[in-house]
Amino acid sequence: MIVWINGAFGAGKTTTARDLIELIPNSTLFDPEVIGGALTHLLPPKHLTEVGDFQDLPIWRRLVIDTAAALHAELGGTLVVPMTLLRQEYRDEIFGGLAARRVTVQHILLAPAETILRERIAGREIPPDLPDGDIRIRQWSYDHIAPYRAALASWLTADAHPVDNSGLTPYETALRIAEAVGSGTVPVCDIVQTPEPTSETLASGVLLFDEQDRVLLVDPTYKAGWEFPGGVVEPGEAPARAGMREVAEETGIRLEDVPRLLVVDWERPTPPGYGGLRLLFDGGRLDSADAERLMLPGPELRDWRFVTEEEAADLLPPVRYERLRWALRARERGAALYLEAGIPAP
C-alpha cells in the first residue's frame, strides 16, 4: 500500500511524512524529488530547459511509478510518498501505473488555509549554498498557489481525503493521517487496475458516431491521452466481441450487432511498450437517446466527448490519429484497410 501525501508546495508534506513513518508499522519514506534530482545528471541540459517542471517529463513520471513499485515489492509494508500532484492527468497516470502493478494508493491532501500556507512559504528555510535559492524557491511556491486553488475547485477535494493542518504541527498532522488510514476512513483510490502487458497485445477499439457524424473519444484514467472506446482482447475472446464488451463496460452502451472491421494497424514496439495489432471497428451511429445514455465517467474514464476529425487531431497522439483518419476513409469506401504504424501498407 502507498500513502500519498498531496498538497501545495509549503503545506508540510515532507516533514509530516517523516513523522508518519514512525507511526505506521513497517513503513518507508519515498520522496520522488530524488528522481528529479537524478535526472539533472542523466538528461542533457537542453532537454531539461524545455520543461518548467520535472513532472512534465514523461520519464520522471515513469521512473516514479517504477521506483515506487520496486520499493514496495522489495520492502513490503507501506510506502509513504510526499509529492505535490496538481494536474489530474499526471495523478491518473501515476496512480494508474501503480494500480497496474497491483499497488493500492490512499490519497491524502494536506489543506491548510491559504493565509497559513503563505506564512509557511515566507518562513521556509532555504539551503544557504543554493544560488538565489531564497528568491527562486519561494517564488516557485507562490506561483503554484493558483494551480493548487484550481485543482481544489475541480477534482482534488473529490479525489483525496483532506486534512486541514492549519493549526497542527507536523507530528499532530501525522497522527491525524495515521488514525484515518488505520481506521479505514481513507478509501483506496477508485482507479481501474489494468495489468501492464509483458508482450505484444491485440486490442480492439470501436468508433461510435453521433447524429452529426462526430466520433466518440474517451479520456482514460489509467493512461495518458485520449483514446477510442475499447481495450485489450482477452485470451480466447473474439476481437469484435472484445470491442463490444469494452464499449459496454466503459460507456454503458450495449451494441446489438457485431461491428464491422475498418482497420488493422500494426503498432511497432516503442519501449516501454510492446506494440502489437490494433483493430478499429465501426460501431455505428448513436441517436440522441443512445447518446444520452452514455454513463458519466467512472473509475476508467475521466471524460468523453464527440469530436470532428479536425478536433481529434488536437486530442489524439499522432499514430492514433492516423489510425482514426484511415478508419474514417475505410468507412466511407466500405472496405477495410491494413496499416503499419498508422500508414497503409503498399
Side-chain angles (χ1 to χ4, degrees):
M1 180 183 73
I2 288 179
V3 175
W4 192 289
I5 305 178
N6 202 349
F9 296 99
K13 302 180 298 297
T14 302
T15 50
T16 296
R18 291 194 186 108
D19 286 332
L20 186 59
I21 61 172
E22 301 300 324
L23 298 172
I24 297 179
N26 193 22
S27 60
T28 306
L29 177 67
F30 166 50
D31 189 346
E33 290 285 354
V34 174
I35 304 296
L39 288 177
T40 62
H41 303 288
L42 297 172
L43 296 177
K46 182 180 181 297
H47 194 79
L48 294 169
T49 58
E50 292 173 352
V51 298
D53 190 325
F54 283 126
Q55 294 194 11
D56 297 329
L57 292 168
I59 189 174
W60 180 86
R61 302 193 296 275
R62 283 201 302 272
L63 285 173
V64 168
I65 296 167
D66 292 342
T67 306
L71 280 171
H72 188 270
E74 180 75 17
L75 303 173
T78 300
L79 213 59
V80 176
V81 183
M83 190 68 216
T84 298
L85 288 176
L86 300 182
R87 294 183 60 169
Q88 190 178 17
E89 62 269 31
Y90 291 174
R91 171 270 186 202
D92 290 344
E93 181 181 348
I94 293 172
F95 287 14
L98 291 168
R101 292 160 172 78
R102 298 295 187 258
V103 180
T104 58
V105 179
Q106 291 178 291
H107 192 186
I108 304 289
L109 172 66
L110 297 190
E114 188 172 321
T115 53
I116 302 296
L117 182 61
R118 290 181 177 275
E119 287 177 8
R120 291 179 181 174
I121 293 172
R124 185 175 181 178
E125 292 186 8
I126 307 296
D129 58 341
L130 190 64
D132 300 324
D134 187 64
I135 296 174
R136 287 193 301 108
I137 292 182
R138 291 189 208 286
Q139 191 58 50
W140 173 269
S141 300
Y142 287 132
D143 289 345
H144 282 78
I145 289 178
Y148 168 66
R149 197 186 299 129
L152 279 177
S154 55
W155 65 275
L156 194 49
T157 50
D159 185 87
H161 177 81
V163 174
D164 184 350
N165 63 330
S166 298
L168 302 178
T169 66
Y171 183 74
E172 290 169 337
T173 305
L175 276 174
R176 188 80 57 90
I177 295 172
E179 291 169 359
V181 169
S183 65
T185 304
V186 184
V188 170
C189 282
D190 187 17
I191 190 165
V192 66
Q193 292 191 348
T194 303
E196 288 210 334
T198 56
S199 61
E200 291 184 338
T201 54
L202 172 62
S204 293
V206 179
L207 301 186
L208 298 169
F209 301 87
D210 67 1
E211 293 176 327
Q212 301 174 47
D213 240 18
R214 297 178 301 177
V215 66
L216 177 68
L217 297 184
V218 296
D219 187 8
T221 59
Y222 51 89
K223 63 179 177 181
W226 288 76
E227 202 19 310
F228 321 107
V232 174
V233 179
E234 296 179 354
E237 187 177 28
R241 299 288 179 178
M244 297 171 71
R245 171 181 56 77
E246 289 285 350
V247 166
E249 291 175 359
E250 293 182 358
T251 71
I253 298 294
R254 298 192 177 277
L255 301 176
E256 295 181 2
D257 300 321
V258 175
R260 181 168 60 91
L261 180 65
L262 294 176
V263 297
V264 176
D265 188 12
W266 174 76
E267 186 175 281
R268 63 168 50 92
T270 305
Y274 289 90
L277 287 179
R278 308 291 178 250
L279 280 59
L280 275 184
F281 294 88
D282 184 358
R285 186 177 286 112
L286 304 177
D287 60 29
S288 56
D290 288 331
E292 289 174 0
R293 291 203 306 272
L294 283 168
M295 294 190 305
L296 292 174
E300 292 198 31
L301 299 183
R302 186 190 302 116
D303 199 3
W304 58 264
R305 67 179 70 167
F306 286 102
V307 299
T308 64
E309 183 177 342
E310 293 74 21
E311 291 168 335
D314 295 327
L315 296 175
L316 294 172
V319 171
R320 210 172 290 163
Y321 171 68
E322 287 300 309
R323 191 178 303 149
L324 170 66
R325 193 167 72 86
W326 287 109
L328 295 178
R329 303 293 85 78
R331 183 172 181 253
E332 293 168 356
R333 300 168 185 172
L337 288 170
Y338 169 69
L339 315 177
E340 292 181 356
I343 300 173

